[in-house]
Amino acid sequence: MKGAAEYRKVGGTLITVAPTGAESRKADVPALPVTLDELLTTAKECVALGAAMIHVHIRDGQGEPTLDLGLLRETVAALRAETDLIVQLSTGGAVTDPEDARRAVLEVRPETASLTMGTVNFGDAVFLNRWDFIVDLHTRMQERGIMPEYEIFDLGQLHTLRRLLEKHGLPANGHVHLDLVMGVPGGMDGTTESVAACLAAMRDLPEGLTFSATGIGRTTIPVMLAALSAGGHLRVGMEDTLTYGPSRPVESNMQLVARAVGFAQLAQRPPCTPKAARTLLGLG
Ligand code: KMH
Ligand code: ZN
């Protein structure tokens, strides 16, 4: 963003909800949506509040993270039938998921899927994303007409994204959309300074790109404010944030979406509908 005139051109805010993730356990976080019914209820309530996209991780009958293709298909079909949300499947899965299972997610043909731009320490674990695997996912998404959302956990991953696009071309829809995932222990911190550093690196990426940002844990508010001020979009949800404020556990994903909607309205960039979000992202 160059200044006030540029800021005014940005328009509405795309709000993505990431309701479940692969890290928290239902036993520890009872409000986490882990069944299909819980996910659908969450999705319908979040879209009514102002979310336009949902980033999906699913759980099995025991509440454990799974990449089971049958369950993923059922989930995507149900979300499509009952909401007009843009459905994004995670190819990141859980840190324990093997590459083959993460790759197979694309056979469900979601409208969009996440694609992380590099290996990162992830708390005590390692979230492995080799260059060859990144290229493979990117190419498969191009072939299948799936829009990648490039997940950026650290500054250098923006340079990896530039290299990927230069060597292997743009996504099938010609639009680059990325998400800054900030404040993961092992990745970049969730500060205005880091958002500014990312904005500088984004100048080397194709013009017209869109970005959202999410701050893990207590970085959620500074990241939201910094992203909004820079023309960015927002991702919120219980995948990323379990504490609403000091000593105050998050009650629901809806509570986080409602707060993001409030911030977006204050920034005079109200939430965009799924239809407007599809236009913004160049989705058919
Ligand atoms: N669960 C993390 C290891 C993604 O969805 O693409 C990876 C993650 C990123 O959540
Ligand atoms: Zn995820």
Side-chain angles (χ1 to χ4, degrees), residues 145-156:
I146 300 168
M147 186 193 80
E149 177 181 276
Y150 302 105
E151 306 296 331
I152 308 295
F153 287 74
D154 217 340
L155 187 61

Side-chain angles (χ1 to χ4, degrees), residues 79-201:
L79 285 167
R80 279 188 186 143
E82 302 212 19
T83 76
D84 56 353
L85 283 163
I86 300 170
V87 178
Q88 177 179 98
L89 288 185
S90 167
T91 66
V95 286
T96 45
D97 283 323
E99 289 181 354
D100 280 352
R102 292 171 57 190
R103 190 183 285 120
V105 166
L106 301 179
E107 301 317 318
V108 177
R109 309 278 175 134
E111 208 168 354
T112 163
S114 59
L115 170 45
T116 295
M117 281 296 106
T119 296
V120 64
N121 283 325
F122 199 84
D124 297 340
V126 175
F127 181 28
L128 186 67
N129 295 283
R130 298 177 307 110
W131 169 250
D132 285 351
F133 183 57
I134 290 170
V135 171
D136 189 23
L137 288 178
H138 177 75
T139 309
R140 284 167 190 265
M141 288 197 214
Q142 281 173 326
E143 290 165 357
R144 288 159 180 73
I146 300 168
M147 186 193 80
E149 177 181 276
Y150 302 105
E151 306 296 331
I152 308 295
F153 287 74
D154 217 340
L155 187 61
Q157 294 185 6
L158 284 169
H159 300 289
T160 302
L161 175 56
R162 184 180 66 177
R163 179 172 176 233
L164 179 73
L165 298 173
E166 281 173 1
K167 282 181 175 272
H168 298 281
L170 290 169
N173 67 343
H175 182 83
V176 175
H177 179 66
L178 60 89
D179 179 46
L180 305 175
V181 187
M182 313 185 77
V184 168
M188 63 184 154
D189 59 1
T191 58
T192 300
E193 287 85 347
S194 284
V195 171
C198 290
L199 290 173

Side-chain angles (χ1 to χ4, degrees), residues 12-18 50-54 149 177-180 211-215 220-237 240 256-265 267 269-272 280:
T13 303
L14 161 62
I15 296 179
T16 298
V17 61
M53 174 143 62
I54 186 164
E149 177 181 276
H177 179 66
L178 60 89
D179 179 46
L180 305 175
F211 78 96
S212 62
T214 185
T220 183
I221 290 175
V223 166
M224 266 196 284
L225 293 172
L228 281 170
S229 74
H233 302 276
L234 305 178
R235 171 176 130 172
V236 292
D240 302 332
L256 295 172
V257 171
R259 179 164 68 179
V261 169
F263 281 8
Q265 279 164 341
R269 292 187 45 215
C272 56
L280 177 80

